Amino acid sequence: MTEAPNMDNARYEYLLQLGDSDLILGQRLAALCGHGPALEEDIAMTNVALDLIGQARFWLSYAAELKGEDADEDTLAFLRDAPAYRNLLLVEQPNGDYGQTIVRQCFYDVWHFFVLQALMQSTDTRIADIAAKSIKEVQYHVERSGDWVVRLGDGTEESHRRTQAAVDKLWRFTGEMFRSSEAEQALIESGVAVDVATLYEPWHAHMQALFEEATLTLPGDQPMQTGGKAGEHTEHLGYVLAEMQHLQRAYPGARW
Amino acid sequence: MSENSKKWPLWEIFIRSQHGLSHKHVGSLHAPDAEMAIKNARDVYTRRNEGVSIWVLPAEQITASSPGDREPLYEPARSKIYRHPTFFPMPEGVDHI
Amino acid sequence: MYAQNVDTGVKKVRGADEMSADEAAFQARIDEGIKIEPKDEMPAAYRKTLIRQISQHAHSEIVGQLPEGNWLTRAPTLERKLILLAKVQDEAGHGLYLYSAAETLGASRDDMQADLLSGKAKYSSIFNYPTLTWADIGAIGWLVDGAAIINQIPICRCSYGPYARAMVRVCKEESFHQRQGFDIMHTLCNGTEEQKAMAQDALNRWWWPSVMMHGPRDGDSVNTAQSMQWKIKLFTNDALRQKFIDQTVPQADFLGLTIPDPELEWNEETGHYDFGEPDWDEFWNVLKGYGPCNQERLQARIDAEEGGAWVREAAEAYAEKQAARKAAAAA
């Protein structure tokens, strides 16, 4: 961020953080529709994508109102380049095999749940309302991805191996979820944002119990990759956006 | 697909809508276990707000009447028309009965 | 249609005097409009034809996810993205309802899918055409779903109970599909010159495949006659095609688009549109596997099945372990 965050700019940035992570994960899941491991699972996972993109619209619409001018959910989604995106690095990681898809989902869902639970008490009532509406959907996401982590972890030898590999691969992106950005720090005291550092313990405890049931091993301390909330992304996001924004970029100003 | 893999069994799905009616058979689906069958049923059969309660039942657990028994099973009821209220004509002027 | 050219396995449709007592009794039930249910006795050919027709219909829904699925990641607005996701998801649901209906006849979903992947079973020719621009998503909803609805509404009254009930559910959900397609076309036609050109181009490419979707000309097809006697097909291909064209031409006029058929003309006498002959060689080629995208579509399904095998097996293995644990705890 180039300028020191004032309250409204911080709030705008914060809404982007919340909306962008939902959107990018939803976009990743949308690519799986029609390619799932079973018909029933295909339908179920698409529901998660629908939920996440729906939630992204709430966050981005609110952000657009703060931004003013001609901004709306679509200009924010389709006309910002990667450095202006504020999503977590975790959600832009490729779908990989289904083990990777599920582990990514599980890491995010549980974090997402605790964030929304805290945001239901946000002093910004608009944020509190969106959180209250979204958490019902996310509660179900937590159950579903948890169910799958257990089944893949404690399934066959192959599924255990693949899923453990996914955990080991994605673990380095989990640290970022619990480190506040400048925007978040500016909003914690006034009770607008949640201090994500406080969510680490409940998240970790949840993971530990779940992974034990799944016969999987949680990695220990290791250096973490960060930067998503500041616009420093992995190489993957550029490709995600190039595809997602193609029409809006190729036909500027057209209505769809 | 490995040859010896056992397939996900078939489950019959029953859903109770919001209007206070009984659970109604809506279709079937495949799932590895009951827990996932419930979740899949939620995702497959309540996408348009169709229900508030779900039952799942392994399809193989259902015992059905045989179509060949149609007559012995259902004909006897047909002749007992006195079980239906319309059997009893009410005299004119008698209401609310 | 979604089930094209379904083989009934019969050489000639028989009248009542040529049927055995069982067959005549079965035909009498159908003629009376009594639904056939899973455990009822039914001629082997009826069962086999239905399995073929319903599974082909189901395969079409599943493969039908793919051309539109191409644009899920590229939909131009968030709302369009959600609508398209919901629609493609519905298609998976429709496939599922239809596989379930076929399973009541004793076919297993795994066997049906294996037949699809091996190329033995067919699916609708329409899904072997490419989706090249966003307007194709509009054209598919408008034309392909429009054609599908015309075919599917009568099947809600077909003789086999589970198939009819599945179609009732499908039709209920389908009504939004065609409208969203038309809405995309309408928006494009009121947009920039480039968008209008995009819409016209999509119509140019999708018109004839949509017209052919209803299947070959009836001629004196024994399969059509037999399926109609069994009431698993209620109108001929040509009748459905005419209805589709009559219904669609005014919509194209409203959009200001030109249907790419120089012979298309209103006929006062018949009260229908006359139209040109589609390229039936192309139709048969696509059906035999030589369409623009047959290989890609089938490969995508094979990849999903093979790539997902270890996931399905894991869930099975876990269910078995859980059952064993429960049994051990109870002992």
Side-chain angles (χ1 to χ4, degrees):
Chain A
M1 236 174 299
T2 46
E3 49 184 315
N6 64 34
M7 269 297 282
D8 262 357
N9 192 41
R11 199 182 305 241
Y12 170 72
E13 288 277 331
Y14 187 49
L15 292 168
L16 292 183
Q17 282 180 30
L18 294 166
D20 289 349
S21 284
D22 285 346
L23 175 58
I24 299 300
L25 187 52
Q27 170 77 2
R28 280 296 195 200
L29 296 180
L32 288 177
C33 180
H35 305 272
L39 207 38
E40 286 81 359
E41 181 59 16
D42 201 309
I43 293 169
M45 203 50 134
T46 303
N47 270 345
V48 179
L50 284 166
D51 289 345
L52 289 174
I53 297 170
Q55 292 173 22
R57 292 180 72 193
F58 289 130
W59 298 122
L60 294 182
S61 294
Y62 185 18
E65 281 172 37
L66 293 184
K67 187 160 192 270
E69 298 155 44
D70 293 334
D72 62 27
E73 60 179 43
D74 288 325
T75 62
L76 290 182
F78 294 96
L79 300 177
R80 276 181 303 144
D81 205 353
Y85 259 79
R86 297 287 178 257
N87 59 281
L88 297 167
L89 300 178
L90 175 71
V91 298
E92 68 198 41
Q93 299 312 305
N95 290 331
D97 67 14
Y98 215 65
Q100 191 167 321
T101 300
I102 288 293
V103 169
R104 182 186 65 193
Q105 196 65 39
C106 179
F107 284 165
Y108 184 74
D109 289 342
V110 176
W111 175 84
H112 197 193
F113 177 82
F114 286 123
V115 168
L116 293 176
Q117 194 179 48
L119 287 183
M120 285 167 66
Q121 324 303 327
S122 171
T123 52
D124 181 329
T125 52
R126 181 89 177 265
I127 290 180
D129 285 350
I130 298 173
K133 193 170 157 32
S134 304
I135 199 164
K136 293 176 199 151
E137 295 172 343
V138 173
Q139 204 163 358
Y140 182 69
H141 302 172
V142 168
E143 281 184 35
R144 247 187 51 86
S145 59
D147 280 350
W148 270 112
V149 164
V150 169
R151 278 158 184 75
L152 296 182
D154 190 19
T156 63
E157 209 175 302
E158 179 183 7
S159 70
H160 179 88
R161 174 175 53 73
R162 284 175 180 267
T163 311
Q164 185 65 53
V167 170
D168 296 342
K169 189 170 175 177
L170 294 175
W171 187 250
R172 66 201 159 116
F173 299 112
T174 58
E176 183 185 39
M177 301 196 288
F178 308 103
R179 278 174 52 168
S180 304
S181 64
E182 282 180 49
E184 285 173 280
Q185 282 164 20
L187 297 171
I188 290 170
E189 203 176 322
S190 59
V192 172
V194 48
D195 180 358
V196 283
T198 64
L199 304 182
Y200 177 74
E201 271 188 29
W203 182 87
H204 197 266
H206 182 105
M207 285 302 156
Q208 210 147 28
L210 183 67
F211 275 46
E212 200 179 299
E213 195 188 342
T215 70
L216 294 165
T217 312
L218 273 189
D221 281 343
Q222 57 169 268
M224 290 287 168
Q225 298 297 315
T226 59
K229 295 184 202 176
E232 288 163 29
H233 291 276
T234 61
E235 290 177 340
H236 303 294
L237 185 64
Y239 291 98
V240 173
L241 295 184
E243 192 172 346
M244 187 172 88
Q245 300 178 338
H246 151 68
L247 279 170
Q248 292 274 3
R249 300 287 193 182
Y251 302 94
R255 294 173 55 83
W256 301 93
Chain B
M1 229 176 299
S2 71
E3 286 302 318
N4 53 10
S5 133
K6 284 217 222 89
K7 310 303 180 192
W8 289 5
L10 190 66
W11 301 76
E12 297 298 336
I13 311 301
F14 300 80
I15 290 184
R16 179 156 55 78
S17 69
Q18 316 192 339
H19 312 299
L21 299 172
S22 322
H23 283 75
K24 182 169 177 274
H25 182 242
V26 293
S28 54
L29 50 75
H30 289 269
D33 54 50
E35 209 179 332
M36 294 303 276
I38 290 266
K39 291 208 167 78
N40 289 344
R42 178 258 192 203
D43 284 311
V44 171
Y45 288 107
T46 70
R47 297 201 302 287
R48 286 175 172 78
N49 226 348
E50 289 93 334
V52 291
S53 166
I54 300 174
W55 289 350
V56 300
L57 193 62
E60 59 174 27
Q61 299 275 326
I62 290 182
T63 309
S65 63
S66 148
D69 293 341
R70 193 173 286 138
E71 295 197 349
L73 281 179
Y74 309 116
E75 274 302 316
R78 211 171 285 179
S79 61
K80 297 178 178 59
I81 47 174
Y82 46 79
R83 282 185 184 278
H84 297 276
T86 47
F87 182 73
F88 307 94
M90 285 291 117
E92 209 152 317
V94 177
D95 294 329
H96 308 297
I97 181 163
Chain C
M1 191 29 59
Y2 278 20
Q4 297 162 328
N5 209 38
V6 177
D7 186 3
T8 55
V10 303
K11 299 272 183 294
K12 163 174 178 299
V13 178
R14 287 177 300 171
D17 50 337
E18 300 165 281
M19 291 179 184
S20 70
D22 281 352
E23 284 171 332
F26 178 78
Q27 189 59 48
R29 290 190 67 191
I30 289 188
D31 294 342
E32 261 184 78
I34 299 173
K35 292 263 183 279
I36 308 301
E37 295 296 337
K39 296 203 164 178
D40 291 349
E41 276 179 38
M42 60 185 92
Y46 175 85
R47 181 187 299 272
K48 216 169 156 186
T49 304
L50 261 179
I51 291 176
R52 227 178 253 152
Q53 177 171 337
I54 300 172
S55 63
Q56 191 175 329
H57 197 155
H59 297 330
S60 297
E61 296 282 357
I62 300 308
V63 176
Q65 290 186 278
L66 299 169
E68 290 174 288
N70 277 332
W71 284 87
L72 287 170
T73 52
R74 290 179 289 173
T77 69
L78 295 183
E79 188 176 55
R80 291 279 186 213
K81 192 186 288 289
L82 286 177
I83 293 169
L84 187 59
L85 258 176
K87 178 181 189 253
V88 177
Q89 183 197 41
D90 272 352
E91 280 153 15
H94 298 173
L96 192 152
Y97 308 154
L98 287 159
Y99 282 130
S100 300
E103 281 177 289
T104 63
L105 290 160
S108 87
R109 192 201 291 178
D110 289 301
D111 290 344
M112 290 185 272
Q113 284 184 334
D115 284 348
L116 170 68
L117 301 187
S118 73
K120 189 178 154 209
K122 300 293 176 212
Y123 56 88
S124 175
S125 55
I126 194 81
F127 301 117
N128 290 312
Y129 290 88
T131 47
L132 302 178
T133 72
W134 172 250
D136 291 22
I137 302 308
I140 289 181
W142 173 38
L143 301 173
V144 176
D145 291 304
I149 290 170
I150 287 176
N151 174 58
Q152 288 171 349
I153 286 176
I155 305 181
C156 295
R157 294 183 281 116
C158 78
S159 64
Y160 188 58
Y163 190 24
R165 289 191 285 274
M167 287 324 294
V168 169
R169 207 176 173 90
V170 167
C171 286
K172 248 193 227 167
E173 299 185 351
E174 191 97 44
S175 52
F176 106 82
H177 294 183
Q178 189 189 11
R179 286 185 179 205
Q180 69 86 35
F182 189 82
D183 187 60
I184 290 174
M185 296 304 269
H186 191 218
T187 306
L188 293 174
C189 289
N190 287 292
T192 65
E193 283 306 313
E194 279 168 312
Q195 286 176 305
K196 271 181 238 173
M198 202 185 267
Q200 181 62 55
D201 168 65
L203 175 58
N204 292 349
R205 283 181 292 106
W206 287 93
W207 175 255
W208 288 111
S210 302
V211 169
M212 290 191 277
M213 230 179 115
H214 300 272
R217 278 191 170 281
D218 294 316
D220 42 2
S221 159
V222 65
N223 288 329
T224 294
Q226 179 61 67
S227 291
M228 290 181 78
Q229 190 181 51
W230 281 333
K231 289 196 184 154
I232 54 178
K233 183 179 174 99
L234 291 107
F235 293 97
T236 66
N237 293 350
D238 285 336
L240 293 167
R241 183 169 14 250
Q242 185 70 57
K243 190 162 188 219
F244 167 72
I245 289 174
D246 288 348
Q247 155 185 317
T248 309
V249 175
Q251 294 165 358
D253 289 344
F254 176 85
L255 292 172
L257 296 175
T258 309
I259 289 177
D261 178 358
E263 292 173 52
L264 188 74
E265 202 177 359
W266 177 252
N267 184 328
E268 273 306 335
E269 247 168 72
T270 60
H272 295 291
Y273 282 93
D274 293 335
F275 53 94
E277 196 65 29
D279 180 351
W280 290 112
D281 287 342
E282 177 182 310
F283 174 77
W284 292 113
N285 283 338
V286 173
L287 217 56
K288 281 181 211 142
Y290 299 101
C293 299
N294 294 60
Q295 297 199 10
E296 286 83 351
R297 300 291 182 252
L298 211 51
Q299 194 59 49
R301 288 311 312 159
I302 290 170
D303 291 346
E305 275 301 301
E306 289 180 352
W310 69 269
V311 177
R312 297 190 300 275
E313 283 161 16
E316 285 154 30
Y318 177 79
E320 270 171 36
K321 284 189 210 177
Q322 280 297 86
R325 283 172 200 146
K326 239 187 211 169

